[in-house]
Each structure stands twice: as structure tokens, then as C-alpha cells.
Amino acid sequence: MHGLGEAEKALHHYKQSGSLVDREDIAKAEALQKQLNRCNGARNLKEWSDLLKGTQFAISVGADSAPKVYALQTEALLRLQRHQEAYATYNKGPKFLIESCTKLFGPAGSAYILVMKAQVYMATGRLEDAVKVAQHAAQLDPKNQEIVTIVKRAKAIASARLSGNLLFKASQYLEACNMYTEGLEHEPYNSILLCNRAACRSKLGQYERAVEDCTTALILQPTYSKARLRRADCNAKLERWEASVQDYEMLIREIPGDEEVGRALFEAQVQLKKQRGEDVKDMKFGSNLVFISSNERFRHFVTSPGMAVVLFCNKANHKQVLQLMEQVCKRFPSVNFLKVEVEDHPYLAKSEGVSSIPAFKIYKNGSRVKEIPGNNRELLEKSVKLYSSRRNIL
């Protein structure tokens, strides 16, 4: 009972057991009961930061199998507009069949857990599922007006998105935009509706407002790649090249083999250089293959933030492996690919521990992280994708 968050029942059981009970167990149950009372008080007062801290503490002192405590933590995160964390918390919590929950926690307790599930579904775009789950909660606790309100809200949002999507597909962008706005009146911080409305506003040439919608969606869900891509595109249309490059660079780390994103990143980088008055005449898409002419040039690339792939090869027999490298580098335009001919730079081969050639070495933020035989394209591609998508590998 203690682990399930039922501290009151646990204390009753301990008292019935008399002298057989360890006093330490009673003390833990009493501490948990006090903490759960604080959590319920914080929820009633809508003090969401206090509720979040309280649930974290309750889990740390033993309520790590308590679905209601995780549901309370999920609610706190939702109210604090931290939707991505709310989704992760809900998934991390223990899962019980609803019949078992009802037996353990009563109909009202089970209904509350279902309502939090419904609201997580709403926040993550599973609107039809949200309606079904909220309706189930209403069946368990039909007199709860809060649950009745959530059912109505879920239905209104689901209807608004469906209608908006149909209008968007029919190229009726203004009408679709109005429909998504109607849905947002029921839930102003719904990242899916915000991103969809941004798509309409972009089509209508309202790029500034589209950027605002995408930014709000990304605050709610920082890894929402569709919103980031849309914001990058709108910033490009507004000629805010630096902001556009930042978003494209983040996207290319998440999906390093996406040629469309890679090309958009390259175009934004070209425009940013032009804006700064820099020379761009030699820039070409897929031209991230660099010939190393000096130790200084090598050190510059491998110690810069980000990732570099270095081919160590002979002058005489490097054509085939160089072709392989060229094919891979086109798929990963944000990664620097370097070629070192060991006859001209034997000291580099020695200092970098090259034992056989041809060979690839991968560098991340100045450190060597991987060596790959020069004829293994599949392993090279997998490794580049893996390491370029890890932001803090070291």
C-alpha cells in the first residue's frame, strides 16, 4: 500500500499488526501521508510548482508505484505548460488495468487517472483517443463537473482540428485558420492546433504570426520537429537568416540524412553569409568535403564545435574510397568531411593513431570517437548518423 501511495491504508494495516511492525515503516508511511496531504492542498490551491515538488518528493520516499501520484505530477506539468515532460512522466508511471485501479483507489481515483491520460492525449494530438478516455472517466465519476468540462473540451478540440484539416486540404486557408483558432479558444496551449494554424498563416503570407505560433508550440514541446521546420521556413521568408539557420541546424542533428532539410540549411547559410557581406561564390550544396593542406587546417576543423569525418588515404589508390565518401557527405551537409593524404602529412597519420589505410576517423567536439575501415560504407553512414544526432556524446 505504501508504494501505491495509499499511506492511510498502510498506517491502518500497521496499527492492526501491533508489535510486529517496524517503527521505521510507520514513520515512512506517516511522512508519505503528510506529503500527499500537501500535494492535495497544493492542487486545490492551484499551486502547480508546489505540487510538482511535492509529487517528486512523494515518489522519492516510496510512492514510486502510485499511479495517482504520477497523475498529479502530470497535471502539474501540464498546468505549467511543460507538455513534453508531462507526456514523459505519464509514460513513466505504473500502468494498471482500470478495473484494478477502481478496486484499489475507488471510482473517483480511477477517473482522475483517466482524466490526466485524456489531457496528455489532447496535448500530444491524439484527440479522438482523448475523447474516448475522458468519456470513460465521466462514466466512473458522472457527478464530477470538472470531468464533464474536459469531455466537452476534448470533443470541441477534436472537431475543430478535423474541420480545419479538411478546409486546409481544400486550400481554404483562411477558413481553416479560423477553425483552428476556434479550437484554441477551448485550449490556448495546444501545440498541434498552434502548428496547424501556423501552416495556414504561412500560406496566407502571415509569416510573423506563423513564427509566433510555432514558437509557442516549441515551448510546449521542444522536440516538435514539424513546428521547428515550419518556423525555419517562415523565418527564411522573413529573411531572418540567422534564426532560420539555427532551427535547420537543430533539425539536421535530429534527422541528419534528410536531404530536403540539408538543402534548406545550405540555402539559409548562403543567404546569411551574403547578409554579412561574406564571399559565397565557391559555395555549392554538398561541397562540405575539404582537402587538408596543413596541420593548422586539420586542427581547425577537428577541434571546432560539431562533427568532422576524416579520411586518411594514399594518393595512389584512394579514388574508390573517395567516391564512397562523396556519396555519404551529400547525405549529411552539416558534417565536415576531410581528406588527408598520408604521404604529405605522415605526422598527422602518426599523431592520430592511424594503423591502416584507407580509414575514416570521426571527431566530435575535438575528440576522436570512432574509427571505421575505409571500405565499409554501411558502417560509415550508420556511425555518422549516430554521432551527428547526439548533442552531448562526450
Side-chain angles (χ1 to χ4, degrees), residues 60-184:
S60 72
V61 296
D64 53 352
S65 299
K68 188 175 179 183
V69 174
Y70 278 94
L72 283 165
Q73 191 171 104
T74 299
E75 180 174 20
L77 289 164
L78 285 170
R79 299 294 174 262
L80 292 166
Q81 312 306 339
R82 291 158 63 176
H83 291 185
Q84 194 162 299
E85 292 172 74
Y87 177 72
T89 295
Y90 176 78
N91 280 340
K92 189 167 56 177
K95 302 295 184 289
F96 291 86
L97 292 173
I98 201 63
E99 293 80 7
S100 301
C101 271
T102 304
K103 286 179 183 177
L104 287 167
F105 313 115
S110 290
Y112 175 70
I113 293 165
L114 282 175
V115 159
M116 286 306 108
K117 183 178 183 178
Q119 291 189 76
V120 165
Y121 281 171
M122 273 196 278
T124 54
R126 295 176 59 178
L127 300 181
E128 290 75 18
D129 290 334
V131 172
K132 290 176 185 175
V133 173
Q135 287 174 329
H136 192 174
Q139 289 169 3
L140 289 171
D141 194 3
K143 294 182 180 179
N144 189 318
Q145 287 305 305
E146 186 179 349
I147 295 176
V148 171
T149 300
I150 288 169
V151 172
K152 289 179 180 177
R153 196 165 85 227
K155 285 182 177 179
I157 295 166
S159 175
R161 186 178 72 167
L162 178 61
S163 299
N165 289 355
L166 291 171
L167 289 163
F168 187 89
K169 287 177 182 176
S171 301
Q172 294 177 262
Y173 303 122
L174 180 59
E175 292 80 359
C177 185
N178 292 336
M179 190 56 65
Y180 294 133
T181 299
E182 187 177 309
L184 285 162

Side-chain angles (χ1 to χ4, degrees), residues 304-330:
S304 296
M307 182 174 161
V309 179
V310 184
L311 168 63
F312 292 91
C313 62
N314 285 319
K315 288 184 176 182
N317 56 1
H318 71 271
K319 286 185 179 180
Q320 187 174 352
V321 73
L322 187 58
Q323 286 177 347
L324 182 155
M325 190 181 193
E326 288 172 346
Q327 291 167 356
V328 175
C329 83
K330 287 178 181 177

Side-chain angles (χ1 to χ4, degrees), residues 268-318:
Q269 287 171 330
V270 169
Q271 294 302 325
L272 179 59
K273 283 181 178 291
K274 282 184 179 179
Q275 197 175 63
R276 291 172 174 172
E278 297 176 24
D279 186 10
V280 298
K281 66 178 184 294
D282 294 327
M283 289 184 69
K284 295 178 183 176
F285 179 64
S287 63
N288 48 329
L289 181 56
V290 178
F291 178 78
I292 293 301
S293 57
S294 68
N295 179 55
E296 291 73 21
R297 190 163 168 78
F298 175 83
R299 293 294 164 207
H300 166 74
F301 281 105
V302 300
T303 59
S304 296
M307 182 174 161
V309 179
V310 184
L311 168 63
F312 292 91
C313 62
N314 285 319
K315 288 184 176 182
N317 56 1
H318 71 271

Side-chain angles (χ1 to χ4, degrees), residues 36 62 133 203 206 250 277 287 392:
L36 292 174
V133 173
K203 291 287 188 180
Q206 299 171 4
M250 192 168 288
S287 63
N392 297 302

